Amino acid sequence: GQQVMQIPQYQHVQEGEDFTTYCNSSTTLSNIQWYKQRPGGHPVFLIQLVKSGEVKKQKRLTFQFGEAKKNSSLHITATQTTDVGTYFCAVAKSGSSNTGKLIFGQGTTLQVKP
Amino acid sequence: NAGVTQTPKFRILKIGQSMTLQCTQDMNHNYMYWYRQDPGMGLKLIYYSVGAGITDKGEVPNGYNVSRSTTEDFPLRLELAAPSQTSVYFCASSYLGRQNSPLHFGNGTRLTVT
């Protein structure tokens, strides 16, 4: 079945340092979504990547979709304490873009020391 | 707009009791989902629905039942509660066109089974 691995599981950084989380799939993906969950909150949609090699930016956040559409990354430049939370990728298997059956990675929890 | 509304926010059940977690959305979304999130873990898909009258199993459906009689409502039923069902439950909805669209999550229901 569809499997998605997300690494690292935890990351502690000093405020101002960069942070990257990776999402790897065993199968080709039709698209990938990224979510952020603040402590005690619910996941909130950040972005969706669809095209091979796609790169999207949101202020200090850079999202990449691999050329083979099997992996993705989220990079945060110069972290701030407001970046604290857990970042999830969510995927649908290639050829199933319309099923809605989104599978979430285990998440990467980011802690930022001020 | 209220978005996705879940009730109750918290519940404690004894082993063997049953309950229904309520979820309603006012965005006219066709897709609805139930996820569970165990402490420090990612989200596991329990059931999902692509429209009124249609439901399908996710990754971890055992011990749960769902129904989708209307577009707005997607209740999750636990018939014989077990300690393994202690978790935070999130309902979500999306509008699915040609590609997966973002999931909108409710605030969650924190369930403890003792």
Side-chain angles (χ1 to χ4, degrees):
Chain A
Q2 180 73 48
Q3 289 190 357
V4 56
M5 296 296 295
Q6 203 172 340
I7 55 171
Q9 189 173 1
Y10 299 98
Q11 185 89 55
H12 296 248
V13 300
Q14 197 71 40
E15 189 172 20
E17 291 181 338
D18 292 355
F19 159 77
T20 304
T21 175
Y22 300 89
C23 187
N24 299 303
S25 171
S26 56
T27 60
T28 304
L29 304 169
S30 58
N31 56 69
I32 189 165
Q33 298 179 0
W34 285 93
Y35 291 79
K36 176 183 179 181
Q37 184 179 26
R38 294 183 188 275
H42 60 273
V44 175
F45 174 79
L46 293 176
I47 209 160
Q48 177 169 272
L49 304 172
V50 178
K51 299 176 183 175
S52 168
E54 188 171 15
V55 178
K56 288 189 176 180
K57 292 191 176 185
Q58 289 180 350
K59 297 182 181 178
R60 293 177 296 103
L61 276 62
T62 301
F63 303 85
Q64 278 192 296
F65 203 6
E67 293 289 343
K69 300 184 74 174
K70 285 189 173 183
N71 55 72
S72 180
S73 65
L74 157 59
H75 179 82
I76 302 178
T77 303
T79 55
Q80 300 175 359
T81 54
T82 54
D83 295 324
V84 164
T86 301
Y87 294 85
F88 293 99
C89 60
V91 304
K93 192 169 61 174
S94 179
S96 304
S97 61
N98 264 352
T99 66
K101 192 173 179 178
L102 282 179
I103 304 300
F104 279 73
Q106 302 94 318
T108 296
T109 298
L110 173 64
Q111 298 276 11
V112 179
K113 300 175 208 173
Chain B
N1 273 348
V4 179
T5 302
Q6 289 183 240
T7 57
K9 292 184 180 179
F10 304 94
R11 184 72 186 268
I12 298 175
L13 282 181
K14 293 189 186 302
I15 294 172
Q17 286 185 322
S18 61
M19 77 163 294
T20 299
L21 282 66
Q22 302 291 346
C23 176
T24 187
Q25 52 93 9
D26 62 0
M27 297 174 282
N28 201 32
H29 284 170
N30 49 353
Y31 278 60
M32 294 189 75
Y33 314 77
W34 275 105
Y35 288 90
R36 61 175 286 173
Q37 185 175 35
D38 298 328
M41 303 292 286
L43 295 104
K44 294 292 186 183
L45 181 63
I46 305 172
Y47 271 96
Y48 68 105
S49 167
V50 303
I54 306 170
T55 63
D56 205 351
K57 296 178 181 179
E59 303 168 271
V60 290
N62 291 345
Y64 306 94
N65 280 302
V66 293
S67 59
R68 184 94 182 271
S69 56
T70 66
T71 299
E72 295 79 17
D73 300 307
F74 191 41
L76 178 71
R77 179 83 178 161
L78 283 72
E79 289 294 348
L80 291 169
S84 61
Q85 293 178 305
T86 294
S87 190
V88 179
Y89 291 84
F90 288 102
C91 178
S93 71
S94 69
Y95 180 76
L96 222 68
R98 293 176 58 194
Q99 294 279 357
N100 288 340
S101 64
L103 267 61
H104 297 254
F105 284 84
N107 289 331
T109 295
R110 188 174 297 274
L111 175 67
T112 303
V113 182
T114 61

